[in-house]
Amino acid sequence: MNAPHVPQIRLYQQWLAEHRGLHFDSYDALWRWSTTDLDGFWQSIWDYFELQSPTPHTAVLAKNVMPGAQWFTGARVNYAQQVFRHAQPAHEAGFAAVVSRNEKGRQVELSWPELRRQVASLAQHLQAQGVQPGDRVAAYLPNIPEAMVAFLATVSLGAVWSICAPDMGTNAVLDRFRQIEPVVLIACDGVTYAGRDHERLGVVAELRAALPTVRHVVMHTNLAEDAAAQAAALQAAAPCASFAAATARDDAATAAFEPVWLPFDHPLWIVYSSGTTGLPKPIVHGHGGTLIVGLALKNLHNDVGCSYQPNSWGERFHWYSSTGWVMWNAQTSGLLNGTTCVIYDGNPGGSKDKPDWTTLWRFAAEQGVTFFGAGAAFFANCLKSGVDLAACGDLSAVRALGTTGSPLSEDAQRWGTAQFRRIARSAAQQDIWWCNISGGTDFAGAFIGGHRELPQTPGRMQCRLLGCAVEAWNEQGQPVIDEVGELVCAQPIPSMPLYFVGDPDNRRLIGSYFDAYPPGQGRKPGGGDLDAEAGAVWRHGDWLRIHTDGSCVIYGRSDATINRHGLRMGTSELYSAVEALPEVMDSMVVDLEYLGRESYMPLFVVLREGLTLDAATQQRINDSIKTALSPRFVPNAIFQVAEIPRTLSGKKQELPIKKLLLGQPLEKVINREAMANPGSLDWYVRFAAARGA
């Protein structure tokens, strides 16, 4: 399909002019209004998306304090209610709700009425087991339609959802689920990943034994294909209910089922921090805040439209993710606006013995995907592997690329832009739009992202998002432009956490986001301080530069900073320089000077298969750093390693390795169960021991 005739954010601005008499001569003016007139902006989002409540709200922002802001007091909502508003018109227009495929080629297409029927059937099954509003339902499922069905069934009852991916080990899952005390576990018998089946019945038995609050198990036979194998899997997991049976009901009761109306801030789901040290933070978000922020982000900034609206007819939204990453939640939020979600379960890079970074592209071509999103590392791997999009099928429907997870390098962005220019079948593909976003699990949203009509600069994100009073603060706590500073959000947004589970006095919540600056500092909308009663600004933990044109660059975590000889820099710039070399597949740097020790900055590199780190390669790496950054940032030493340690969501584990090299014991600085590749740690442990000897 061609690009939408009118970008979604322009439609919103036209609506503001017509219905509010508001006209803005620049995006900066629109953004400043949205972050100073919080009531006016968020009410406009409510009205623009025609959100419904059986009871009116008495205030948009009844209490502007962080943490503890009170939004849309008196309103009643339900995430699932908003989803199913679209069931009839989307189905009548001929569009599916969910299209899914796994590595084995098994394809499932769920119509909107079928999605609604299965949700109603499972919700009534859970009700029959005594599930009440506020109860926690835990899921151990991959990125398949059944996970979306289970989520919507859970939250339609007012129960609280939480999911872990089946590629996570028993301890990692228990570190999360033990904290939330679920009453129901919805699990699967296994997954297929990287060309291999991974049986999980043993893990499910361990979870059940270690979670005494679980009184009911629903089992989805994801691996077992024929009736006999499915029966055997269910028998092995007994006592349990069959997911297929629990979603099979089709009668008057399922037809009449309606999600229950809930207070705006009723808990929706529990997500978790990456958990590099200690137990992961169990972060609770609410129905209303997640819903309204999800609509604003997906529609206005990501330019993902409703599939059955003429302006975005046939929209198909894909963002590759596992269920262990908040981008699964973001993918699911496409349903809020009546958009067909296209999902893939498996390894985007093929198997170990047969790497194939064309997998997702070919899937997108076959499914007519219009918005193609993935982690920044995916696009970097495509570049490194020499992927040729011309050989991946008909990608003519793709009009936008989404990235997140880590800063997208200029090289990767230029690669994708050039690839689409070569295969362009539309004006949109001549200069493909990159929607590069930065946000977090912490607030189930984004602070910085895309704008369909602003200029694109490779390596930058286009703007601060509407409603997000994001600033970069210097060491004195003052907002700066065109300088690197701490990313803070000076005003609340509706999807900020309600609370952490097991944190009754909010100490852990405040310590995570709100204790970096004195309460009241920078809290006045538009700039300035308020009294301490207003609470503190949100400190996100990223280094940010806001350019004079409003575009932004994230330089990595502010607790993984390089401070060489008085110059401060995030790590992403160094990675861009090093990983631009064709022989370098991955890299990680740690700077020990910043932590008050003798200056020492090692660089760890993963080289292309068959290459070794000789003097010539080291010289090329150092020269690249000197050229791109400064001779000050040349590392003290370079080491070739097999892998860079990464979290389950793909982030480099700079801070834990930094602490390990400072002599802290491994078990105190890192949680192996929260890692994608825990085996990689052994080399670093030996390295730390040798260095300390």
Side-chain angles (χ1 to χ4, degrees), residues 133-398:
D135 284 346
R136 272 80 63 201
V137 172
Y140 187 62
L141 295 169
N143 184 25
I144 53 178
E146 287 81 1
M148 290 180 165
V149 168
F151 160 63
L152 291 170
T154 296
V155 305
S156 70
L157 300 175
V160 187
W161 170 259
S162 194
I163 190 168
C164 284
D167 57 354
M168 296 168 68
T170 309
N171 292 340
V173 178
L174 288 175
D175 281 349
R176 289 155 173 77
F177 287 169
R178 270 197 184 116
Q179 296 186 74
I180 69 169
E181 300 181 318
V183 299
V184 171
L185 175 65
I186 303 176
C188 65
D189 59 341
V191 292
T192 303
Y193 191 84
R196 293 177 52 207
D197 287 346
H198 302 269
E199 193 265 347
R200 287 293 181 261
L201 287 171
V203 176
V204 174
E206 292 179 62
L207 297 179
R208 177 182 228 146
L211 295 170
T213 54
V214 170
R215 58 178 187 255
H216 184 64
V217 174
V218 182
M219 176 63 63
H220 169 56
T221 50
N222 189 54
L223 275 188
E225 296 190 359
D226 60 67
Q230 291 169 356
L234 291 172
Q235 182 60 41
C240 67
S242 156
F243 189 95
T247 55
R249 186 170 173 179
D250 187 6
D251 55 18
T254 54
F257 177 80
E258 288 290 336
V260 63
W261 292 105
L262 302 162
F264 188 86
D265 61 356
H266 185 86
L268 171 73
W269 58 40
I270 301 167
V271 292
Y272 305 90
S273 68
S274 56
T276 53
T277 60
L279 288 174
K281 301 188 291 279
I283 304 168
V284 183
H285 297 133
H287 272 254
T290 307
L291 187 163
I292 198 167
V293 168
L295 284 168
L297 169 63
K298 197 69 72 261
N299 184 267
L300 304 185
H301 283 287
N302 293 5
D303 200 41
V304 175
C306 171
S307 295
Y308 61 88
Q309 289 296 325
N311 188 61
S312 46
W313 188 261
E315 188 85 275
R316 286 193 155 207
F317 172 52
H318 166 79
W319 200 305
Y320 175 78
S321 180
S322 82
T323 50
W325 189 22
V326 76
M327 292 313 296
W328 177 84
N329 308 66
Q331 169 79 79
T332 302
S333 72
L335 298 173
L336 289 170
N337 199 36
T339 308
T340 299
C341 292
V342 180
I343 63 176
Y344 183 81
D345 176 36
N347 187 347
S351 60
K352 263 192 174 177
D353 54 332
K354 289 186 178 177
D356 181 6
W357 289 98
T358 69
T359 300
L360 284 184
W361 294 111
R362 289 184 287 105
F363 173 60
E366 291 165 22
Q367 301 307 318
V369 164
T370 56
F371 185 107
F372 181 98
F378 168 81
F379 294 100
N381 279 313
C382 290
L383 162 64
K384 295 280 187 183
S385 303
V387 168
D388 178 9
L389 295 190
C392 295
D394 181 4
L395 289 163
S396 60
V398 177

Side-chain angles (χ1 to χ4, degrees), residues 49-52 80-89 308:
F49 289 102
E50 299 177 348
L51 297 185
Q52 298 171 346
Q81 279 276 7
Q82 173 64 24
V83 167
F84 292 129
R85 286 176 59 184
H86 301 287
Q88 185 175 343
Y308 61 88

